[in-house]
Amino acid sequence: MSEIRSKVLIVEDEADIRRFVRLALESEGHEVFEADCIKRGLIEAGTRRPELVILDLGLPDGDGVDFIRDLRGWSTCPVIVLSARSNETDKIAALDAGADDYLVKPFGAGELLARIRAQFRRRLQQAAVNEPLIRFGDVCIDLTRRVVERKGEPLHLTPIEYRLLTYLAAQPDRVVTHRQLLKVVWGPGHAEDTHYVRVHMANLRKKIEDDASMPRHVITEAGIGYRFVLGV
Amino acid sequence: MKDERADPDQLLDRLNAEEARARRGKLKIFFGASAGVGKTYAMLSAARDAQAQGASLTIGIVETHGRSDTEAMARGLPRLDMKEIDHRGKKLSEFDLDAALAYGAGNPDGRVLVDELAHTNVPGSRHPKRWQDVQELLDAGVDVWSTMNVQHLESLNDIVSGITGIRVWETVPDRIFDEADEVVVVDFPPDELLERLRQGKVYLPQQADRAAKNFFRKGNLLALRELALRRTADRVDGEMQAYRSRSSTSPVWPNRESLLACIGSGEQGEKIVRVCARLAAQLDVPWHAVHVESPEKSEASERRRQGVLRVLKLAQELGATSTELSSPAVAPALVRYAHEHNLSRLVIGRPEQRWRWPGQRTLGDELEAEASDLDILRVALEKNVPAKRASPDRPAARTPTHWKGYAAALAICGAIALLATPLLGVLELSNIVMLFLLAVVGVALLHGRGPAILAAFVGVCLFDFFFVSPRFSFAVSDVQYLLTFAVMLFVALVVGQLTAGLKIQVEAVTERERRVSGLYDMSRDLSAALMVEQVAEIGSRFLAMEFGVKSALLVADDHDHLNVLPGATTEVDLGVAQWSFERGEAAGRGTDTLPASKCLVLPLKATMRLRGVIAIEPKETGLLGPEHRRLLDTCASLMAISIERIHYIDVAQKTTLQMESERLRNSLLSAISHDLRNPLASLVGLADALQLTKPPPTGQQQELVLAMRSSAMRMNALVNNLLDMARLESGAVQLNRQWQPLEDVVGSALGACASILEGHPLTVRLAPDLPLLHFDAVLIERVLVNLLENAGKYTPPDTPIEIKARAEGDSVVVRVNDEGPGLPSGREDAMFEKFVRGKSESATPGVGLGLTICRAIMQAHGGTIRGETRATGGASFVLTLPRGEPPNDDGGTAGIVEAFVEHGK
């Protein structure tokens, strides 16, 4: 439905995966560029100016995290990383470095396309910066008045909960790590106290979710952080 | 030479001593002047009072001597059983130390009543004396009440025997009395005591009646009473002083006037030691006891030597540091020792005055000349003290060698006379004198001092008889020959003595050098040893060579069990060895512990811990002297250090190996996971891409593509399980534990299983008061996902699935319930084994690793997992996670960062 033609760069050393990603993306009408190593990837990114990068973390000539840091020096385009399961530390490092989302191998074409669409949608939303209201489910955040309402009733949030919610809601579909949240809300001195985030996030959930144990908006990415979903 | 600075070792010793005192049990002594004053009665009545107040105590041993009032007192108090000891066919009952130790271990606040502290145990008991049993109890932290009389105090022993005329052999070292935490004097006026005696109320041991009567005279009793009271007063005074010095800020190391008891080889060393001990106690200073073994005396009989060793041991019991020095000159050695150890007063014996050579000096004179800065105390020694505790086996061995030497002296002198007779005309008389002198030198070299003296006299006589005119008569015609004889005798004696002394000295030096080089060789060999067996071999070789003793090395394994190493040349009593190892003290022959044992057992103390023990079976029956003991201790510590070194080489090697294999395993696992997953990822992706081709695949093609995809996904799940299992089994998984609420992970697990659980109504009931838990979110999610997937797979569609959690005691219990067919009965536990599935021939895919992984994860978290069939028929998996202590701080009060960050990038 949302037909946005964009330039996408895929950096992946496995030719078969590149091929299927290209097939999938081209079926959506995107323009795809390929690279099989970090060096090549950075050159492609510099010359082609892609609007989205899909990056494998296990590349032969180095760490994908370095690629993200380099890229973030001059580009804010969304980055989706591909990684094997049980490599949480790699994923967290990539997300902290500036990646926006991750996909665990093996993944299906449908999943990939959905994630890509979400990233593009987020960029569109952020383009409309002057929108002071964020709505999801039956909750509405008024950023100018600093008021949160649910079903039209004002919702009482602590300052910490408000800060967590606005930070997450401002960037939907993006995976935010515990460390990022700690840094933003508590400051760099508390980067290791991840239970702060968890405790307050649990309280926040009870206030904004219908069922806190089956959340629809603040989704837990086990061992990594949270993803905020606006929902439909 | 005198170092005034505070010695850090001394400081450490003090700290250690204080700490040890805090752990030690408390000793309370009921102290009386003589038998019959009612010590036992007083102890028992105090025990009854304490028991009435709720204290726990037990009688270890109480000797009522058949007195009814005492027995009545003991009735009703708990009592330990006695130990039966078989001694020469007779069954003797004795205080059971092990039972008392066991009682102490079971009752930390309990105390044990042990009557008659000075009692001598039946041979074959662990310790020769009961006070040593009590020491062990105190060391183990058990409180003890005991009784003793004043005559049993070691340092007062000779005074008491002087008063009463009866020598008591059962004694207790003064330090036991002085270190007791409480002393209760049981006083009884002598008149009443005598009255009780007349009434037969006092138990008299089976000694001669007359002796006992002599003992219980009013004069004696008064003297003993005074002694007891005064001794107690001294003690109280000491406590007062100690209290004052503790509470004031006096310097820690006052310049103390310490004593040095110089013990000769005579029989009267004991007196010097006792006097010195009393003096040291009065002055409250440390003291040393030293015997200088000069090479001249090394010929001394074995019996004499045993006497010296016994005196040194007595000194040690009385609290001295005893040492044996080896030096040809006694006085300088003593002075050097005194200077080195900062001892300012020397106590020596003053022998009975006897006729002296003009110019001959006593030890005291020598000491005065040697060191004018030392005080010298001379103790009068009694005349003709009968040999005490004379051992019945008088050595008969000393005669043969000496006899031979004297015979040789006579023979050589005779030979010279015979040889020189025909040459009388040829040789000048003065040259013949030279020949005799040569003979004396030869005899001194070969046979030592005594024969040399004999040779000197015999030589003079023979010279006179055979060579000086008139010949063949002792008469002398020319008076000037008398001068010749005198000079000849004098020169012969002096040269002979010097030569003999030189010979002995050389022997002593050679002997010492040999020992040192032996020790050096051993330490060199030990430093090259790479196996404990080598250490055992080197050690036993050294001991056999240097001391001619048999030995065995026992090394402790990881569970503190002692194992005899091969190459042992003696059989070890494992009980002694284990005792020595556990206590870190020497045991067995020549020590206070189990002295009846065949071997002396020394602990091998290394830097980190005890490494084992070495058992040494001395060759002759004698005790091992302090000099030997020191060498043995050195040898033991060398071996201990070597064993420790070898142990750490082992540890280092094992660690390297483990690290190496871990590295290998990890790289292998990650290589496998990469190589297996990438093709699978391609397969899944390509199958998806096939559906996106244009024109789109037909219905049948579509089905094939989907089947391909789901096969690849299943394969992926399998690979994941196998790799996870390998990681968990190898211990390579590091838990990333964080404090977090359970609902977080429940939510993400439900999200991950959403497609499988579609159609099953889900209920989540988490208790509202669940605490934060400390777990690895990814792994616990894995457990929940596995359980939920199982529930989805094995239950009919549309049946409900339920997750419940609540805190129970120290843990949080999570239940995953379903309404399916339940678990196969009797196999609930087997399901958690590897490659086991509920139904062996099931169409449901899987290899049976899921639950095994769950169990491994739960165990890694210190939790459990079990499965059960519910009453309603469904299956229920129960997880428990320890609660731990969650952090109190939730960051709610921690400062919020004020600057609001921009949204997104």
Side-chain angles (χ1 to χ4, degrees), chain A residues 108-109 163 186 194 196 205, chain B residues 688 738 740 744 889-891 897:
Chain A
R163 189 69 61 84
W186 282 272
T194 59
Y196 286 12
R205 269 202 191 121
Chain B
D688 277 358
Q738 313 266 1
Q740 50 199 310
D744 243 21
D889 173 28
D890 65 358
V897 178

Side-chain angles (χ1 to χ4, degrees), chain B residues 292 327-337 346 363 366-368 370:
Chain B
V292 180
S327 166
V330 178
L334 287 174
V335 170
R336 202 172 334 118
Y337 185 87
L346 272 58
L363 177 63
E366 283 180 45
L367 284 172
E368 273 166 21
E370 193 75 34

Side-chain angles (χ1 to χ4, degrees), chain B residues 352-431:
Chain B
E352 50 185 296
Q353 211 59 40
R354 55 153 203 235
W355 185 82
R356 273 197 269 164
W357 290 94
Q360 188 196 349
R361 303 195 304 170
T362 61
L363 177 63
D365 301 336
E366 283 180 45
L367 284 172
E368 273 166 21
E370 193 75 34
S372 47
D373 58 335
L374 298 176
D375 297 346
I376 294 166
L377 268 152
R378 297 187 195 209
V379 177
L381 299 181
E382 296 152 46
K383 278 187 191 176
N384 303 326
V385 172
K388 292 174 227 163
R389 306 184 200 186
S391 42
D393 49 335
R394 276 183 176 276
R398 75 172 273 191
T399 25
T401 49
H402 291 264
W403 176 84
K404 268 186 206 154
Y406 291 108
L410 289 176
I412 288 173
C413 288
I416 295 282
L418 282 179
L419 203 72
T421 310
L423 300 174
L424 185 59
V426 188
L427 290 177
E428 286 281 324
L429 273 184
S430 59
N431 282 333

